[in-house]
């Protein structure tokens, strides 16, 4: 026996569970995840963009604020030094001091100069050490407002930049005694063109430099670099990252590990702030972690809700399933005996009970119909036997009449046999108009013999309608009603007209000029509550015709009866030209 590869089929795994619980869980999880993921993605994009922009703006604002603070400090130093030049009152006192010949005059001027410098210092608390510097004099430093350190040498101060004959230094250790470990900015300015090599030195307060650089935004640790116009680092709060005097580009992996922000001065120097990218992204990562926690919580709640909904739906379903299984179709239930606790399921259960009761009723009706069908079969056989016996008897009477030479009896029996044969259904229920008209003629002839006078019955049929299919025995009840109940005597007249109305309909109208009836009698005639006379004759015939057109034509047919007392009655049937599902062979009377 050979095996083919196609014989080995691997059953695919069902990703969509068959149980309601599994599908409900999947749908609820998806319904929770989709909005969470979409909202989270959109929020992350928006928050990341907004937060990054805000952080960038805050950090850029910080570095700009730091540059502006340094500019104010340096401008303040420049303004203070201007008040110490020889063009100022303090500077004039210094000139007079240098030119004084007596010790007394010098002492007075020295005191005035110190007082002026103290006033300048008090009016500007951000100022620190102030000194007049005479590099070519025997006494190099004079008029200091506070003690200076030993072995001071202003020539070795680190030059920051130079502008308008003013040299800006720093940051460097203060020259004030006791503050050598604190960084300051300072300037050195020539006091006058008439006194070369005479300078004034002014520096910031010894503890002021920390206030110049603002704290980092959002708690981030920031590195500051002050770069002079030559591109060299003049200050760094992390000397390990880059050495002073080196270009900032010498720092290893600075741009890779740090977010850089710069703010430049018009004189060419730049304040640079560097923030670690890990701290820079920590705010976004913090929001991302919170989003993950919220998503996990939402997913867990979704699963819990799925179980709650499942239990809420499963219990009523179990009750309904149990009721369905217990259904035996024996006894009807007047009212629901079980409640699920949910209105929707209670209504469904109530509908089930209604359906069960209806099924029980239908089962009973079917049993009754089956029993009745058996009885009808017996009755059918009896009905078939009685007409057969009647026809045989009439044939015997007809032959006896011929033997005894009784032509009227022979003719009467012959016509009666044809009418009886037609009316008792030996032919099909659907006949042609020509057959119905022929049967009507036989019936009228029979009545003429019976009453021994000629009824005035006019039949006008459109030849085109002779082959139209109609239900059998539809005209005779109408004409019979006119004969028995419409004509008072042999002077009356009945008119039968069959004409085509349009391409889809034709009319069968039976009218008489007899006594007629009023509207109350007409309504009683058509009502099922008519008297015995109507039920026995007139009412039964009309009800038969109305029932016949309802069965074969339904809403396509129209029945109308008009009557006026003393003027006669008109019965009109408007029928379609074709009965649905019925056709005739051109060469035969059989219908298909």
């Amino acid at each position: 026996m050979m095996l083919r590869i196609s014989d080995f089929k691997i059953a695919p795994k069902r990703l969509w569970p068959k149980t309601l619980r599994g599908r409900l869980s999947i749908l609820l999880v998806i319904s929770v995840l989709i909005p969470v993921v979409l909202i989270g993605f959109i929020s992350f994009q928006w928050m990341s963009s907004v937060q990054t922009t805000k952080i960038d703006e805050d950090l850029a604002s910080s570095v700009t604020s730091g540059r502006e603070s340094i500019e104010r400090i340096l401008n303040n130093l420049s303004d203070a030094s201007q008040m110490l030049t020889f063009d100022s009152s303090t500077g004039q006192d210094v000139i007079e001091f240098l030119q004084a010949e007596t010790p007394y005059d010098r002492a007075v001027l020295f005191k005035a100069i110190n007082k002026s410098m103290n006033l300048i210092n008090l009016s500007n608390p951000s100022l620190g050490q102030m000194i007049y510097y005479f590099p070519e004099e025997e006494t190099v430093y004079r008029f200091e407002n506070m003690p200076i350190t030993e072995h001071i040498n202003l020539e070795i101060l680190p030059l920051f930049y130079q502008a308008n004959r003013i040299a800006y230094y720093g940051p460097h250790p203060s020259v004030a005694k006791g503050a050598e470990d604190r960084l300051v900015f300072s300037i050195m300015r020539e006091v006058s063109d008439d006194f070369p090599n005479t300078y004034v030195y002014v520096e910031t307060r010894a503890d002021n430099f920390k206030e110049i650089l603002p704290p980092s935004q959002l708690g981030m640790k920031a590195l500051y670099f002050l770069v002079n116009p030559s591109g060299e680092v003049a200050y760094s709060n992390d000397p390990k990252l880059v050495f002073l005097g080196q270009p900032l580009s010498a720092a290893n992996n600075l741009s890779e590990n740090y977010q850089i922000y710069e703010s430049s001065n018009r004189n060419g120097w730049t304040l640079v702030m560097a923030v670690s990218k890990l701290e820079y992204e920590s705010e976004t990562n913090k929001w991302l972690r919170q989003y993950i926690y919220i998503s996990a919580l939402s997913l867990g709640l979704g699963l819990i809700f799925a179980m709650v909904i499942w239990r809420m739906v499963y219990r009523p379903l179990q009750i309904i399933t149990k009721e369905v299984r217990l259904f035996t179709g024996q006894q009807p239930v007047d009212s629901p005996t079980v409640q699920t606790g949910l209105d929707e399921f209670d209504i469904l259960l109530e509908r089930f009970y209604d359906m069960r009761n209806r099924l029980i009723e239908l089962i009973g009706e079917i049993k009754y119909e089956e029993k009745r069908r058996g009885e009808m079969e017996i009755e059918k056989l009896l009905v078939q036997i009685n007409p057969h016996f009647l026809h045989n008897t009439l044939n015997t009477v007809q032959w006896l009449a011929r033997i005894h030479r009784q032509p009227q009896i022979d003719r009467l029996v012959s016509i009666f046999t044809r009418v009886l044969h037609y009316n008792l259904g030996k032919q099909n229920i659907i006949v042609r108009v020509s057959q119905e008209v022929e049967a009507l003629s036989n019936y009228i002839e029979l009545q003429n013999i019976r009453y021994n006078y000629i009824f005035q019955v006019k039949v006008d049929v459109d030849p085109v309608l002779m082959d139209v299919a109609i239900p059998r025995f539809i005209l005779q009840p109408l004409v019979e009603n006119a004969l028995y109940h419409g004509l008072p005597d042999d002077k009356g007249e009945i008119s039968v007209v069959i004409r085509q109305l349009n391409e889809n309909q034709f009319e069968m109208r039976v009218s008489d000029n007899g006594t007629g009836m009023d509207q109350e009698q007409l309504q009683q005639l058509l009502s099922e509550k008519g008297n015995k006379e109507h039920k026995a004759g007139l009412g039964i015939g009309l009800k038969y015709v109305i029932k016949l057109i309802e069965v074969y034509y339904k809403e396509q047919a129209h029945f109308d009866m008009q009557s006026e007392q003393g003027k006669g009655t008109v019965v009109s049937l408007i029928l379609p030209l074709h009965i649905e599902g019925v056709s005739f062979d051109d060469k035969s009377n059989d219908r298909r």
Side-chain angles (χ1 to χ4, degrees):
M1 179 179 180
M2 297 183 61
L3 296 178
R4 294 174 296 178
I5 297 178
S6 59
D7 294 333
F8 298 93
K9 295 182 179 180
I10 300 176
K13 295 182 178 179
R14 295 186 60 87
L15 299 178
W16 188 243
K18 292 183 177 180
T19 62
L20 176 61
R21 179 173 57 184
R23 294 185 182 183
L24 189 63
S25 300
I26 292 176
L27 290 176
L28 282 177
V29 170
I30 293 175
S31 65
V32 170
L33 283 179
I34 288 178
V36 169
V37 171
L38 291 179
I39 294 173
F41 177 76
I42 295 172
S43 301
F44 179 76
Q45 296 293 326
W46 183 80
M47 288 290 294
S48 177
S49 175
V50 171
Q51 198 167 28
T52 300
T53 302
K54 183 179 182 301
I55 293 174
D56 288 340
E57 290 176 351
D58 290 344
L59 295 178
S61 175
S62 296
V63 71
T64 301
S65 176
R67 173 188 56 81
E68 292 174 349
S69 297
I70 295 175
E71 287 177 347
R72 284 194 296 270
I73 292 295
L74 297 179
N75 292 334
N76 195 23
L77 291 176
S78 177
D79 295 339
S81 67
Q82 182 68 33
M83 292 186 292
L84 297 177
T85 61
F86 287 173
D87 294 332
S88 63
S89 59
T90 305
Q92 292 296 322
D93 291 340
V94 172
I95 293 174
E96 291 179 6
F97 176 86
L98 294 176
Q99 295 175 348
E101 296 179 352
T102 63
Y104 175 77
D105 292 336
R106 288 187 177 185
V108 172
L109 290 171
F110 183 82
K111 184 176 180 181
I113 292 170
N114 283 337
K115 183 178 179 181
S116 297
M117 294 182 70
N118 288 332
L119 287 175
I120 294 172
N121 201 172
L122 289 173
S123 63
N124 197 337
S126 63
L127 297 178
Q129 186 72 61
M130 293 184 291
I131 307 171
Y132 278 97
Y133 176 47
F134 303 95
E136 296 182 356
E137 297 290 333
E138 181 179 355
T139 305
V140 180
Y141 306 107
R142 292 181 178 180
F143 311 116
E144 61 272 15
N145 62 336
M146 59 184 66
I148 59 177
T149 59
E150 298 178 358
H151 310 294
I152 182 175
N153 185 3
L154 299 180
E155 298 294 336
I156 62 172
L157 294 178
L159 179 65
F160 187 38
Y161 74 96
Q162 191 163 358
N164 298 326
R165 301 174 64 182
I166 300 177
Y168 294 84
Y169 299 97
H172 61 82
S174 175
V175 299
K177 189 174 183 180
E180 298 88 346
D181 59 340
R182 300 178 184 177
L183 297 178
V184 296
F185 282 103
S186 64
I187 65 171
M188 190 176 294
R189 179 176 191 158
E190 240 182 323
V191 294
S192 177
D193 294 337
D194 297 333
F195 294 90
N197 296 323
T198 303
Y199 303 92
V200 60
Y201 171 83
V202 183
E203 68 178 32
T204 59
R205 195 177 67 228
D207 59 349
N208 194 40
F209 185 74
K210 291 182 178 179
E211 300 176 1
I212 296 176
L213 300 178
S216 60
Q217 296 288 338
L218 304 174
M220 298 181 186
K221 183 180 180 181
L223 300 180
Y224 284 99
F225 304 96
L226 195 58
V227 181
N228 60 28
S230 300
E232 298 173 347
V233 176
Y235 168 78
S236 171
N237 60 353
D238 188 1
K240 297 180 181 179
L241 189 62
V242 59
F243 293 104
L244 298 181
Q246 291 184 344
L248 188 62
S249 59
N252 294 327
N253 301 324
L254 182 64
S255 60
E256 296 179 3
N257 299 325
Y258 291 87
Q259 197 77 13
I260 306 299
Y261 299 90
E262 300 179 353
S263 183
S264 299
N265 177 264
R266 63 179 180 273
N267 293 315
W269 59 270
T270 303
L271 179 63
V272 179
M273 182 174 65
V275 177
S276 172
K277 288 186 176 180
L278 294 177
E279 293 191 30
Y280 178 82
E281 296 172 354
S282 63
E283 289 298 321
T284 303
N285 293 334
K286 179 181 178 182
W287 182 90
L288 184 60
R289 288 193 299 271
Q290 292 176 348
Y291 166 70
I292 292 174
Y293 296 151
I294 293 174
S295 300
L297 178 61
S298 300
L299 182 59
L301 291 176
L303 292 175
I304 294 174
F305 290 153
M307 293 302 298
V308 172
I309 295 175
W310 161 245
R311 291 180 179 275
M312 186 172 15
V313 173
Y314 181 66
R315 181 178 171 274
L317 286 178
Q318 279 186 320
I319 295 174
I320 294 175
T321 303
K322 181 179 178 181
E323 289 296 313
V324 172
R325 289 177 178 175
L326 292 177
F327 171 56
T328 59
Q330 298 298 326
Q331 297 295 330
V333 179
D334 295 333
S335 60
T337 57
V338 179
Q339 296 292 327
T340 63
L342 293 174
D343 291 343
E344 293 80 3
F345 285 102
D346 287 341
I347 293 173
L348 181 62
L349 194 57
E350 184 178 353
R351 295 293 182 270
F352 167 72
Y353 285 135
D354 294 340
M355 181 186 69
R356 183 172 73 173
N357 294 340
R358 181 57 182 159
L359 285 175
I360 293 173
E361 293 176 2
L362 291 175
I363 291 172
E365 291 177 3
I366 291 172
K367 290 180 178 179
Y368 174 77
E369 291 296 333
E370 288 294 329
K371 180 180 179 182
R372 181 60 182 159
R373 183 179 298 177
E375 296 174 352
M376 291 295 293
E377 290 293 333
I378 297 174
E379 293 178 2
K380 182 179 179 181
L381 292 175
L382 292 176
V383 170
Q384 290 177 350
I385 292 172
N386 291 335
H388 182 72
F389 172 75
L390 184 59
H391 277 285
N392 291 336
T393 303
L394 289 174
N395 286 334
T396 303
V397 173
Q398 186 177 9
W399 282 108
L400 288 174
R402 290 179 181 178
I403 292 172
H404 293 283
R405 300 182 183 274
Q406 297 292 330
Q408 290 183 343
I409 297 176
D410 180 22
R411 180 166 170 265
L412 175 62
V413 173
S414 177
I415 296 173
F416 180 67
T417 302
R418 291 198 301 270
V419 172
L420 190 63
H421 178 76
Y422 183 81
N423 291 348
L424 290 179
K426 291 296 183 178
Q427 299 182 12
N428 294 316
I429 191 64
I430 302 298
V431 297
R432 301 177 190 271
V433 171
S434 59
Q435 294 173 279
E436 184 73 8
V437 172
E438 181 182 358
L440 180 62
S441 299
N442 292 330
Y443 171 75
I444 295 172
E445 185 176 358
L446 181 63
Q447 295 300 326
N448 288 334
I449 297 173
R450 177 184 176 187
Y451 291 100
N452 198 24
Y453 60 83
I454 303 301
F455 289 100
Q456 299 296 322
V457 180
K458 296 181 180 180
V459 180
D460 182 11
V461 183
D462 189 344
V464 179
L465 303 176
M466 284 298 188
D467 290 331
V468 173
I470 59 173
R472 180 173 55 82
F473 199 60
I474 195 172
L475 278 177
Q476 182 178 321
L478 302 180
V479 175
E480 185 177 2
N481 283 332
L483 287 175
Y484 290 156
H485 305 281
L487 301 182
D489 50 34
D490 58 348
K491 297 180 181 180
E493 184 177 298
I494 298 174
S495 175
V496 178
V497 178
I498 302 177
R499 61 190 181 93
Q500 185 168 350
L501 297 179
N502 50 51
E503 61 182 5
N504 296 319
Q505 293 177 316
F506 72 99
E507 180 186 22
M508 303 178 71
R509 188 175 64 215
V510 177
S511 59
D512 64 74
N513 58 357
T515 57
M517 64 190 82
D518 56 21
Q519 292 300 315
E520 183 179 356
Q521 291 175 328
L522 181 62
Q523 293 298 326
Q524 188 179 15
L525 175 67
L526 297 176
S527 173
E528 292 184 357
K529 297 181 180 180
N531 55 31
K532 295 182 179 180
E533 179 185 356
H534 291 154
K535 288 186 178 180
L538 183 62
I540 291 178
L542 290 179
K543 289 183 179 67
Y544 169 79
V545 174
I546 294 172
K547 189 64 176 178
L548 201 62
I549 63 175
E550 286 180 355
V551 171
Y552 287 96
Y553 295 103
K554 298 180 175 59
E555 295 83 4
Q556 298 178 350
H558 176 69
F559 175 87
D560 182 63
M561 186 174 183
Q562 301 291 333
S563 183
E564 187 174 353
Q565 199 163 14
K567 293 185 178 181
T569 304
V570 178
V571 179
S572 174
L573 296 178
I574 298 177
L575 307 176
L577 287 172
H578 302 284
I579 301 177
E580 186 175 353
V582 175
S583 64
F584 285 105
D585 192 341
D586 293 338
K587 298 181 182 180
S588 170
N589 288 338
D590 297 332
R591 66 180 178 89
R592 294 179 299 181

